[in-house]
Structures are given as structure tokens and as C-alpha cells.
Amino acid sequence: VENTKQKVELVKLGSTNTVPVTIKAKSSKQFVVTPTAPLEKGAAYLLLIHPAFQSSKDIQMEQGAYVEVTVQQ
């Protein structure tokens, strides 16, 4: 899955820099986002899925989504 088309970002809170990620389809309704750079222990990140995200069948989301994650180890 190509991220430039998918518009998925991982951003460290308090920063404007994005962490590079790869996206791999897990099923027709799930995918796995994996950072390709180390994350900072104890830091909080925001995973953003923009409304332009499309499924493998080119179905676009009606609205975007986000989730906050904190690195534990």
C-alpha cells in the first residue's frame, strides 16, 4: 500500500515533523501501520488517517480518523 496515496501520518505531539511509516493490508477492513524510524520512549504521537484515504478497491473514507498513542518501552 502506497502511503503517498493513502495519506496516513504519524506525528509526534508538540512537533510538526512526521515519522515515516509503512502500511500493509491485514484484511479487507484492516491495515497495519509501522514506523520506519525509532519512536521516543514516553512520547505521545498522533496517528492521522486523512479523509483522502482509499481502500484497495478505491473506496474513499467519508471522514478522517485519528488516535493518540504513547510509547511505553
Side-chain angles (χ1 to χ4, degrees):
V1 178
E2 185 181 338
N3 190 28
T4 55
K5 177 183 176 185
Q6 299 306 344
K7 306 296 182 196
V8 174
E9 293 182 290
L10 183 62
V11 181
K12 182 179 174 187
L13 290 179
S15 170
T16 58
N17 297 332
T18 59
V19 176
V21 296
T22 59
I23 305 170
K24 186 178 288 188
K26 186 174 180 178
S27 71
S28 62
K29 295 186 178 188
Q30 295 178 328
F31 57 90
V32 177
V33 177
T34 306
T36 58
L39 301 180
E40 186 180 323
K41 182 179 179 181
Y45 293 83
L46 201 57
L47 178 63
L48 304 164
I49 305 170
H50 294 275
F53 184 89
Q54 293 181 343
S55 72
S56 59
K57 296 180 181 178
D58 290 332
I59 299 170
Q60 191 166 334
M61 293 180 66
E62 292 180 18
Q63 62 185 40
Y66 68 92
V67 64
E68 185 177 335
V69 294
T70 302
V71 179
Q72 299 294 319
Q73 298 182 12

